Amino acid sequence: MRENIEHEGIITNIRNGVADVQIVQYSACSNCHAQSACTVSDKKEKMVEIPCNDMDFKIGDKVLIIGNSSIGPQAILIAFFYPFILLFCTLFIIYSVTSDEVLSGILSLTTLIPYYIILYFLKSKLKKKFEFSIKKT
């Protein structure tokens, strides 16, 4: 059986059947008793857009964001692994052709620009693939 990814959040806005949910992400050491004295502790607030067809949701409601755990590895591949492979392969190929380190580095970094532009244009398709749902807590 698949496990779900769950985060608690608060609805900050609802428009056109889409709810903006604010979640607070804590680092692993956020519950430590020495947190106030430690500079490593981290807390980030993030906004997530989630489709909500149910009219029972209101601004300020506490909700639970639910996503399938199988989307995590897919997101890691798209965000980190594929760009790394693209960067490394381009660096290796250009350096083997030109033997110029600076040129190879610059050109391999510029290959990431089209990659992220393509991701931007595939945003609607990716939103469908990485879809979350919400329920009241």
Side-chain angles (χ1 to χ4, degrees):
M1 187 171 149
R2 293 184 175 173
E3 294 182 25
N4 289 328
I5 300 170
E6 296 180 350
H7 283 286
E8 289 185 359
I10 298 174
I11 297 177
T12 58
N13 191 14
I14 299 174
R15 67 189 181 306
N16 300 330
V18 176
D20 292 335
V21 180
Q22 178 182 12
I23 61 172
V24 179
Q25 183 180 22
Y26 296 98
S27 67
C29 58
S30 65
N31 293 328
C32 177
H33 67 281
Q35 178 186 5
S36 61
C38 181
T39 59
V40 178
S41 63
D42 191 18
K43 174 179 141 179
K44 296 179 186 175
E45 292 182 358
K46 295 184 178 182
M47 294 297 290
V48 181
E49 292 181 352
I50 302 172
C52 66
N53 297 329
D54 192 1
M55 294 304 201
D56 291 339
F57 296 109
K58 297 182 210 88
I59 294 175
D61 283 350
K62 290 186 179 185
V63 293
L64 192 62
I65 300 173
I66 303 167
N68 194 328
S69 63
S70 67
I71 65 175
Q74 293 172 357
I76 296 293
L77 286 174
I78 292 171
F80 300 108
F81 184 73
Y82 296 148
F84 173 75
I85 294 300
L86 177 66
L87 184 77
F88 183 75
C89 290
T90 307
L91 181 67
F92 180 74
I93 291 168
I94 294 174
Y95 183 74
S96 64
V97 171
T98 65
S99 298
D100 187 359
E101 293 176 3
V102 174
L103 180 66
S104 303
I106 291 171
L107 290 177
S108 63
L109 285 173
T110 58
T111 60
L112 294 177
I113 295 170
Y115 176 78
Y116 286 111
I117 289 172
I118 290 168
L119 281 183
Y120 177 78
F121 286 116
L122 294 175
K123 182 172 49 172
S124 61
K125 188 175 182 179
L126 290 172
K127 276 187 179 182
K128 291 177 186 173
K129 188 174 188 175
F130 297 107
E131 195 167 272
F132 291 90
S133 61
I134 57 176
K135 69 176 184 180
K136 285 189 178 184
T137 57

